[in-house]
Amino acid sequence: MGSNSDSLPYQASSADQIGELHVAMRRLMAAEDQSEVAAVAVETATAILDFPFSVFWEATDSELKAVTISEPLREHVEAPADPGKVMRHEHGSWLWEQYESDETQRVLVSEEKAASDAPLHGGITVPLAEYGLLTAGTDERAEPTERETQLADILGKNVLSTLERIERERELKRQRDNLDLLNQIVRHDLTNHLQTITGRAELLRDQCSGDALEHVDGIQESSQSAAELLETAGNLATVMRQTDWETEPVALGPVLSSVTEDITATYTDAQVTVPDEFPSVQVQADELLSSVFRNVLTNAIQHNDSATPSAVVDATDDGDVVNVIVADNGPGIPDEQKRTVFERGEKRPDSEGTGVGLYLVRTLVDAYGGDVWVEDNEPRGAVVGLTLPKAADDA
């Protein structure tokens, strides 16, 4: 250790130093802003080194300013609550040269170079890239040992890594917020335009016949498809922003009933068959569970070449899980596509869509801890099966 062993209540042992570093690493992992990182850095440097005057210097284009200082240093500083008022080093100073060196160094400082309010004559400097500098010093002309320099370097690397992580997270949050705003604006405006198109097409219907009426039907069908795609894209955007998925108990029956009623009202030429009642259970999911069933049912009807598209919906309580099936009478799905149809960008053979609907289904069901698959229906068509875990209270 350095010769200034009387500056601290005790001289830290190797085990103490390593222990303090481990504690610091855990605290840094949980840190959310630079001020918290600076506090951890200064406290740890003071604890593991025999150089009690620790400082976190924040860098600007023209100077280094002390933003956090150790307790032993406070009595030497004229404004301990705001050390940056008096503890500054301008561009070109000796400390600035240490900051620009980009490597941890042991230093001895002359009386002329030392800060007048904080007589730091011996110590360690640890550059922290563009963020600033971490220093640990003493008022004696004591040079740090090689081990102390290594410990300071390890601490500095972890501090720098944390500062970079916080900056990345801040930038990602800013980007997510901007995307959220763009998503809200686009969805709102496009939804209004689609509603206007649908409304005007309905007005034209009363004045058209023959081929013109078919064009009106086409406009309304395209508007409906665009509205559904817009909703799916919005839900997918929500899913893709998730970093820590939280589920909750959701009553299955009301969700299935609401979705099947909406699909029946939307696709009046289709036949949707449901049981007299769905199982009275709760599954572990979230508010997007309805999007799972809506996308599966919409696919069953939209991509159906039968004269009367049909979808049979059923659900069974099977112990710890609930099985939901949607069976259609369409063209079915080839065996080679049964495993890939839920992947991003994949779609049914007869589909002109984007393939995001079933990808959203797979993503959500996986997040809920369930499973989804496809098999053949008899005599024709496809069956989409979903397994959803029951909520703990229902399992």
Side-chain angles (χ1 to χ4, degrees):
M1 300 293 292
S3 61
N4 190 34
S5 59
D6 293 333
S7 298
L8 289 176
Y10 69 93
Q11 191 171 19
S13 69
S14 295
D16 292 332
Q17 292 168 329
I18 297 301
E20 291 287 351
L21 272 177
H22 284 165
V23 171
M25 299 310 103
R26 290 195 294 270
R27 294 178 64 191
L28 288 172
M29 288 176 63
E32 297 181 354
D33 56 47
Q34 180 169 310
S35 62
E36 189 175 354
V37 174
V40 174
V42 166
E43 291 171 14
T44 306
T46 306
I48 66 175
L49 304 174
D50 196 18
F51 290 80
F53 296 164
S54 303
V55 183
F56 186 100
W57 304 84
E58 183 179 75
T60 67
D61 291 339
S62 60
E63 68 176 3
L64 294 166
K65 180 177 70 173
V67 294
T68 305
I69 62 176
S70 62
E71 283 296 330
L73 183 57
R74 288 182 174 277
E75 64 183 72
H76 296 276
V77 178
E78 294 178 6
D82 185 10
K85 280 187 176 181
V86 290
M87 295 180 65
R88 294 172 181 264
H89 280 263
E90 295 182 353
H91 187 285
S93 70
W94 74 270
L95 195 63
W96 186 273
E97 292 175 359
Q98 298 291 315
Y99 161 62
E100 288 187 325
S101 70
D102 200 32
E103 62 181 41
T104 298
Q105 297 188 56
R106 293 177 285 175
V107 295
L108 288 175
V109 183
S110 66
E111 288 284 348
E112 293 75 22
K113 290 183 178 179
S116 60
D117 59 334
L120 309 179
H121 298 305
I124 305 171
T125 61
V126 186
L128 302 172
E130 71 271 17
Y131 303 99
L133 185 73
L134 176 64
T135 60
T138 175
D139 54 0
E140 299 181 7
R141 287 182 59 77
E143 187 173 2
T145 65
E146 183 66 30
R147 175 173 176 76
E148 287 174 320
T149 307
Q150 291 174 348
L151 290 171
D153 188 62
I154 292 170
L155 174 61
K157 284 181 168 60
N158 282 276
V159 168
L160 177 57
S161 176
T162 301
L163 291 169
E164 291 171 340
R165 185 260 299 168
I166 290 173
E167 184 173 358
R168 287 194 302 271
E169 290 176 350
R170 185 183 297 116
E171 177 62 19
L172 286 173
K173 183 180 184 303
R174 185 189 68 80
Q175 292 177 357
R176 285 197 299 268
D177 290 344
N178 289 341
L179 287 174
D180 284 344
L181 179 60
L182 178 62
N183 182 38
Q184 292 172 13
I185 293 172
V186 169
R187 291 182 67 188
H188 177 269
D189 289 355
L190 285 180
T191 298
N192 286 342
H193 288 315
L194 289 171
Q195 289 174 344
T196 300
I197 292 171
T198 300
R200 292 190 175 185
E202 190 61 35
L203 291 175
L204 284 175
R205 175 180 292 280
D206 297 335
Q207 304 175 33
C208 297
S209 60
D211 292 342
L213 189 58
E214 291 184 10
H215 289 305
V216 172
D217 289 339
I219 291 172
Q220 290 185 309
E221 289 174 4
S222 295
S223 296
Q224 177 64 35
S225 296
E228 291 170 352
L229 178 59
L230 193 60
E231 180 179 1
T232 298
N235 290 336
L236 188 56
T238 300
V239 168
M240 294 175 71
R241 290 193 304 272
Q242 295 279 11
T243 55
D244 186 15
W245 213 290
E246 293 185 4
T247 61
E248 61 186 3
V250 178
L252 178 70
V255 175
L256 275 172
S257 296
S258 176
V259 171
T260 53
E261 288 172 7
D262 288 347
I263 294 294
T264 300
T266 301
Y267 299 98
T268 55
D269 294 335
Q271 180 179 355
V272 179
T273 304
V274 298
D276 293 336
E277 61 180 21
F278 291 109
S280 180
V281 296
Q282 292 184 318
V283 295
Q284 202 66 28
D286 62 10
E287 72 276 5
L288 293 178
L289 179 61
S290 61
S291 184
V292 171
F293 300 133
R294 182 172 288 108
N295 275 284
V296 172
L297 268 167
T298 298
N299 269 274
I301 293 172
Q302 279 189 345
H303 310 299
N304 196 312
D305 57 357
S306 296
T308 301
S310 169
V312 177
V313 183
D314 199 8
T316 56
D317 186 341
D318 191 14
D320 293 337
V321 299
V322 177
N323 293 313
V324 180
I325 64 164
V326 176
D328 66 54
N329 62 341
I333 298 177
D335 290 342
E336 63 271 16
Q337 284 196 287
K338 285 184 172 66
R339 287 183 175 272
T340 62
V341 73
F342 294 101
E343 295 178 3
R344 182 185 299 189
E346 293 293 327
K347 51 193 178 182
R348 297 173 67 144
D350 57 329
S351 173
E352 297 179 357
T354 62
V356 298
L358 291 180
Y359 171 68
L360 175 62
V361 169
R362 164 67 77 183
T363 302
L364 287 170
V365 171
D366 283 349
Y368 300 156
D371 192 17
V372 59
W373 70 94
V374 177
E375 59 189 46
D376 293 329
N377 195 16
E378 294 295 339
R380 74 188 303 264
V383 176
V384 175
L386 303 107
T387 298
L388 298 170
K390 292 167 65 174
D393 292 344
D394 275 326

